[in-house]
Amino acid sequence: MDQSKRPHPVTTWCESHNVDFRTMNDTIDPALAKEASEYAERLDQLGRARLAGLPVSRGQRGIRVGGPALYELLYFLVRHLRPTAAVETGVAAGWSSRAILDAMHANNHGRLVSIDLPFSRLERMADKPHLTDDQVGIMVDEHLRDRWTLLLGSDQEHLPEALRLVGGEVDFFHYDSDKEYEGRERTMAAVEPALSRDATVVFDDIRDNSHFADYVRQTGKQFAVVGMKEGLVGPLGRVDPAADHGVPWPPVRKGRIRGHRSAS
Ligand SMILES: C[S@@+](CC[C@H](N)C(=O)[O-])C[C@H]1O[C@@H](n2cnc3c(N)ncnc32)[C@H](O)[C@@H]1O
């Protein structure tokens, strides 16, 4: 086969571990899976209306930056796991923040600290249309904000403060900010010591480079690769082992995947 047409090793690895997240949710808790799916439909409609005309993905046509995370999965996991303290990096319009906070509101439990380096501070966005700083998190309604702290600046700058605000222990961590290998590595090095024993971590865009595959190999954590169509998300940690729920969790793969450390 022509080498250039071969799928990237990271894509092959992700495909070989991919499970359908709706099947996974349904196996864990069918009633909650249905609730999450109906919730996602409502959020989709609300978001399209709220963002109409704004320079962000799902707002203006042709704009792809600030695309939403897999909010149906986030809502399901937060409802199911009932974390006390959640931290996330990467907010933009705030689909993921909204889903985590709506789930916490339904749980009547938990708080979220989110960090976002606004587009206005990213060099690559200087001459492109982007959300203004006060539009960061525009998806999050007032009644959800008493559980929420939003810190504007980089992960590096604000992680110590975020960890302090949740009392030094994180039960749920969502990563959707800097997509480079080194950025993910740096952030996880800071977050890792604060993860509670049963913490769940969700990485977005895991196909960008081999960070996720390397991370699961190094930590030996249980994981899944989900959302092939949506751009690939990797939840890991305490998302209920196969022994409990019959979920087709793939075993942690030994051995390094060949190739890339940088974003493709
Ligand atoms: C894909 S968007 C986040 C989408 C969001 N999770 C959602 O579901 O709507 C990525 C965001 O991360 C921000 N970002 C990029 N690099 C960052 C960094 N080093 N620290 C914090 N945020 C960063 C970007 O400016 C952007 O707002």
Side-chain angles (χ1 to χ4, degrees):
M1 190 201 258
D2 176 356
Q3 290 289 336
S4 63
K5 294 208 174 114
R6 284 218 170 140
H8 192 283
V10 173
T11 302
T12 309
W13 182 87
C14 287
E15 277 168 0
S16 70
H17 290 87
N18 187 245
V19 295
D20 176 62
F21 80 91
R22 292 199 176 95
T23 306
M24 183 177 92
N25 293 356
D26 209 39
T27 316
I28 295 172
D29 184 336
L32 205 53
K34 184 164 178 284
E35 179 185 316
S37 146
E38 289 168 359
Y39 168 78
E41 276 174 34
R42 286 197 305 278
L43 189 66
D44 181 55
Q45 281 174 13
L46 181 146
R48 284 178 195 278
R50 185 162 303 178
L51 302 185
L54 294 183
V56 68
S57 172
R58 298 207 190 168
Q60 267 173 41
R61 275 176 94 86
I63 296 203
R64 298 198 191 286
V65 292
L70 195 49
Y71 43 82
E72 183 174 336
L73 178 73
L74 291 172
Y75 180 88
F76 175 86
L77 290 176
V78 172
R79 285 285 280 130
H80 176 64
L81 297 167
R82 301 182 58 83
T84 299
V87 172
E88 74 164 341
T89 66
V91 177
W95 294 82
S96 53
S97 318
R98 168 81 194 229
I100 293 169
L101 289 163
D102 271 329
M104 286 179 164
H105 185 71
N107 289 344
N108 195 19
H109 183 73
R111 67 175 282 103
L112 169 69
V113 181
S114 305
I115 302 171
D116 189 71
L117 184 60
F119 291 128
S120 66
R121 299 188 209 172
L122 291 179
E123 220 173 294
R124 67 182 162 84
M125 295 300 296
D127 40 7
K128 299 196 179 105
H130 54 255
L131 294 177
T132 56
D133 291 12
D134 62 353
Q135 288 168 332
V136 173
I138 191 169
M139 289 290 293
V140 179
D141 285 348
E142 207 51 49
H143 74 278
L144 297 168
R145 291 192 179 230
D146 58 346
R147 296 184 184 277
W148 194 39
T149 305
L150 172 62
L151 304 170
L152 293 187
S154 69
D155 296 358
Q156 257 188 304
E157 193 184 341
H158 284 308
L159 266 170
E161 168 76 350
L163 298 179
R164 194 187 62 72
L165 286 170
V166 293
E169 194 164 81
V170 179
D171 307 309
F172 191 88
F173 181 65
H174 177 227
Y175 187 95
D176 193 16
S177 52
D178 180 358
K179 303 297 162 72
E180 298 291 328
Y181 192 108
E182 288 72 18
R184 294 175 195 255
E185 206 172 29
R186 209 171 31 234
T187 297
M188 285 320 292
V191 170
E192 197 80 52
L195 292 177
S196 62
R197 199 174 57 85
D198 287 336
T200 291
V201 178
V202 178
F203 284 95
D204 208 294
D205 292 322
I206 59 172
R207 197 167 21 182
D208 288 354
N209 51 53
S210 70
H211 176 271
F212 182 77
D214 292 343
Y215 181 77
V216 295
R217 182 181 52 79
Q218 282 154 13
T219 59
K221 287 186 183 180
Q222 254 193 333
F223 71 99
V225 171
V226 301
M228 216 60 199
K229 201 167 111 252
E230 294 84 352
L232 281 177
V233 172
L236 39 73
R238 195 195 91 180
V239 195
D240 302 81
D244 291 344
H245 299 283
V247 177
W249 283 85
V252 174
R253 186 147 165 197
K254 302 288 175 209
R256 194 181 173 78
I257 54 170
R258 270 168 296 156
H260 296 254
R261 285 173 58 90
S262 59
S264 51

